[in-house]
């Protein structure tokens, strides 16, 4: 039989989370962000749950092709735009909207031969300082694009760096409003955090939810997924494949980083860092065993980790272990809680599940 670990993708949770985004942005259209292979869930597996979106936003042309192969005929947004001139040919063939964030991309459009003009989003660097035109150069870039016969619709966008935190959006929103004053075009500002926390100021023509679609709170630990009404779209489950009885002074795992101070029952679980579970998740990282909360003990190994069964006398060999997400008994362990214990974020855990873990749609 196969090793007893699997990741389950829940289309009903994706659809629910998409509905939560719509509820907070009822007058906007929704780009469902499926970059990074739908945040590790798989574009093909996530598609049905997100089909009700108005458009899909992805990172590269391969993801856009996969969406078209799924017979998606609606809008697709290429979030970082073209990486070289010949990418524009595929943008034309796939009928993509693409982001323009650098002078080189405008140059490529000016040289591009096309029968149908492109729809683009002109990106403003309002303070994130990753991609986009500086405010002082934004209007000139807009004028250049407007003059090109290769370009039809020009949308306006930016990306918030602190929508999930105390600094908030005011400083960037002011920059965006000044730079775009009087310019025509649809506007897209709100990521997941802005959609949930600042909808009254950032929701305009389109919102771009990403992480919230997959059931993770963008502002954890200030708020958890349940606070925002989100459900986990991925569950990572395995089973106990061994049980050890410890006495005081016995240790667990490499480096003997955990020492028992009392008699204990310890379960060995078929999950390790080669499956994508974080090696830096130390003793005390939460898990569910048969739907009941427990915690990990000692270091995570390549293929195994240890969990405390001392207070779960009915659990043992073969017991279900939910590393994150929903157990088969209905209990939920937020991926954000696991990530916080491991000193990372839910985004990373979703994207880090490795190819050897079987994935199925639940």
């Amino acid at each position: 039989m196969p090793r007893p670990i699997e990741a389950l993708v829940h289309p009903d949770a994706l659809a629910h989370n998409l509905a939560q985004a719509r509820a907070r942005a009822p007058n906007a259209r929704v780009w469902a962000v499926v970059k990074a292979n739908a945040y590790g869930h798989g574009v093909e597996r996530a598609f049905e749950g997100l089909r009700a979106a108005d458009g899909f936003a992805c990172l590269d042309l391969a993801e856009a092709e996969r969406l078209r192969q799924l017979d998606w005929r609606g809008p697709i947004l290429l979030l970082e735009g073209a990486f070289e001139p010949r990418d524009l040919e595929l943008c034309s063939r796939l009928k993509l909207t693409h982001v323009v964030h650098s002078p080189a991309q405008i140059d490529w459009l000016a040289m591009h031969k096309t029968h149908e003009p492109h729809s683009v989003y002109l990106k403003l660097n309002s303070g994130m300082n990753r991609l986009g035109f500086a405010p002082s150069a934004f209007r000139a870039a807009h004028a250049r694009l407007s003059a090109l016969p290769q370009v039809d619709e020009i949308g306006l966008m930016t990306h918030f760096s602190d929508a999930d935190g105390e600094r908030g959006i005011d400083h960037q929103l002011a920059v965006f409003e000044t730079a775009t004053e009087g310019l025509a075009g649809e506007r897209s500002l709100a990521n997941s955090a802005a959609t949930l926390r600042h909808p009254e100021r950032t929701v305009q023509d389109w919102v771009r939810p990403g992480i919230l679609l997959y059931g993770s709170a963008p502002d954890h630990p200030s708020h958890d997924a349940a606070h925002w009404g989100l459900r986990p779209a991925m569950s990572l489950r395995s089973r106990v494949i061994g049980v050890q009885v410890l006495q005081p002074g016995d240790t667990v795992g490499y480096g003997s980083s955990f020492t028992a101070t009392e008699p204990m029952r310890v379960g060995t679980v078929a999950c390790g860092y080669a499956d994508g579970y974080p090696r830096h998740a130390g003793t005390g990282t939460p898990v569910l065993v048969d739907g009941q909360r427990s915690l990990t003990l000692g270091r995570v190994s390549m293929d195994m980790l240890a969990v405390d069964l001392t207070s779960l006398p009915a659990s043992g060999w073969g017991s279900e272990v939910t590393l994150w997400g929903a157990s088969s008994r209905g209990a939920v362990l937020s991926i954000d809680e696991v990530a916080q214990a491991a000193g990372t974020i839910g985004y990373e855990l979703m994207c880090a599940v490795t190819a050897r873990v079987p994935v199925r749609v639940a």
Side-chain angles (χ1 to χ4, degrees):
M1 65 176 289
R3 185 165 167 262
I5 185 171
E6 64 178 354
L8 295 89
V9 174
H10 308 288
D12 56 338
L14 289 163
H16 169 85
N17 297 336
L18 175 60
Q20 293 297 102
R22 283 203 184 281
R24 288 166 173 78
N27 299 317
R29 284 176 285 177
V30 178
W31 293 112
V33 180
V34 293
K35 65 179 182 175
N37 198 23
Y39 287 55
H41 294 64
V43 170
E44 290 80 5
R45 289 184 288 268
F47 178 72
E48 286 301 323
L50 299 175
R51 184 187 280 275
D54 300 289
F56 285 89
C58 55
L59 194 68
D60 58 45
L61 291 165
E63 289 170 337
E65 285 186 297
R66 289 160 68 188
L67 288 164
R68 291 298 186 217
Q69 290 165 1
L70 290 165
D71 203 29
W72 175 255
R73 299 183 182 182
I76 298 176
L77 175 62
L78 203 60
L79 287 166
E80 294 181 6
F83 294 102
E84 59 181 8
R86 65 179 180 176
D87 289 350
L88 295 175
E89 298 173 12
L90 200 52
C91 287
S92 293
R93 181 163 67 82
L94 297 175
K95 300 185 184 303
L96 307 182
T97 300
H98 52 98
V99 171
V100 173
H101 59 77
S102 74
Q105 291 171 322
I106 301 179
D107 295 340
W108 300 340
L109 277 164
M111 296 183 292
H112 179 55
K113 296 179 180 179
T114 181
H115 296 294
E116 295 185 16
H118 289 231
S119 294
V120 302
Y121 268 92
L122 183 63
K123 187 166 190 175
L124 173 70
N125 175 13
S126 60
M128 183 76 162
N129 289 312
R130 292 193 312 190
L131 300 177
F133 288 88
S136 60
F138 189 77
R139 286 182 175 269
H142 190 277
R144 281 193 68 197
L145 282 175
S146 299
L148 294 180
Q150 294 92 337
V151 176
D152 184 11
E153 297 179 357
I154 304 174
L156 310 172
M157 70 182 297
T158 194
H159 192 69
F160 294 118
S161 59
D162 295 278
D164 58 344
E166 292 184 6
R167 192 180 185 194
I169 54 138
D170 289 350
H171 60 297
Q172 288 185 263
L173 189 58
V175 172
F176 181 84
E177 290 173 345
T178 298
T180 62
E181 184 178 4
L183 296 180
E186 293 183 336
R187 285 148 165 80
S188 177
L189 285 78
N191 56 4
S192 289
T195 300
L196 294 174
R197 292 170 61 102
H198 309 284
E200 69 288 345
R201 302 190 60 202
T202 65
V203 169
Q204 298 197 20
D205 300 292
W206 287 82
V207 294
R208 305 190 306 275
I211 194 66
L212 80 80
L213 297 176
Y214 304 97
S216 174
D219 59 347
H220 190 270
S222 296
H223 298 100
D224 61 16
H227 172 86
W228 297 117
L230 305 176
R231 299 177 186 170
M234 176 192 287
S235 299
L236 183 64
R237 298 179 190 162
S238 188
R239 293 195 176 275
V240 174
I241 60 170
V243 178
Q244 302 295 331
V245 177
L246 273 58
Q247 299 302 319
D250 289 344
T251 63
V252 175
Y254 287 119
S256 300
S257 62
F258 176 81
T259 302
T261 59
E262 59 186 359
M264 299 182 69
R265 292 175 67 243
V266 176
T268 300
V269 181
C271 179
Y273 59 76
D275 301 300
Y277 195 85
R279 182 182 181 275
H280 46 281
T283 294
T285 302
V287 296
L288 300 177
V289 180
D290 291 330
Q292 302 175 81
R293 288 183 69 96
S294 187
L295 47 84
T296 64
L297 302 171
R299 287 186 189 169
V300 175
S301 302
M302 180 182 289
D303 310 307
M304 293 171 279
L305 56 81
V307 297
D308 189 1
L309 301 179
T310 308
S311 62
L312 305 173
S315 298
W317 194 93
S319 287
E320 178 189 81
V321 178
T322 303
L323 288 311
W324 62 69
S327 77
S328 63
R329 303 187 182 201
V332 172
L333 174 61
S334 167
I335 195 171
D336 298 319
E337 188 178 353
V338 178
Q340 184 181 18
T344 184
I345 54 177
Y347 303 67
E348 183 178 15
L349 298 189
M350 292 177 189
C351 295
V353 175
T354 64
R356 79 172 186 174
V357 176
V359 185
R360 67 179 176 90
V361 176

